[in-house]
Amino acid sequence: MEALFASGRIVDIILGLVAAEALLLAWFARRRGMAPAPLLANLCSGAALMLALRAALTGSGWPTVAGWMLAGLLAHLADLGLRFRRGGTAHRRTRPQPGTTPQSAAFTRSTLENL
């Protein structure tokens, strides 16, 4: 395990998994009619940071590490720009309607609890 970290090969393995994830997410997004760009920009940001880690582990100079970190920042900014252009994040929730509904806790509790 020590050799995997010293050589930076651990990052190569993780990057392979990220590439597989990118392919799977792009396929899934296309199938559901979603835009894959924000997902891929997010993965590119993480991949660039992993490449910065690999460069640091293998003893590359600071300009190489800084370059990969800058690439990660640019990909992250692209991801944010794509998300804000769409009008929010992918995890936006709708606001609950005010008032009591049959699905609210008041209707789902047992009436014996109130006795």
Side-chain angles (χ1 to χ4, degrees):
M1 200 59 148
E2 183 179 334
L4 279 176
F5 279 88
S7 67
R9 292 286 180 207
I10 190 73
V11 176
D12 296 339
I13 293 167
I14 294 170
L15 285 172
L17 293 172
V18 169
E21 181 183 12
L23 291 173
L24 181 67
L25 287 174
W27 173 79
F28 183 71
R30 178 175 286 182
R31 219 173 149 182
R32 300 212 45 197
M34 298 167 41
L39 296 171
L40 297 178
N42 189 296
L43 288 174
C44 285
S45 174
L49 292 177
M50 284 188 274
L51 287 168
L53 172 64
R54 186 183 195 290
L57 287 173
T58 59
S60 296
W62 73 265
T64 304
V65 176
W68 283 119
M69 291 178 73
L70 178 62
L73 171 65
L74 294 175
H76 177 64
L77 292 174
D79 176 33
L80 288 176
L82 289 167
R83 288 175 189 256
F84 284 124
R85 187 183 314 161
R86 285 189 324 188
T89 64
H91 301 289
R92 175 179 263 181
R93 293 183 180 166
T94 58
R95 288 186 159 199
Q97 296 297 322
T100 307
T101 65
Q103 289 80 23
S104 67
F107 284 100
T108 57
R109 285 191 206 135
S110 171
T111 55
L112 295 176
E113 291 178 314
N114 297 327
L115 295 177

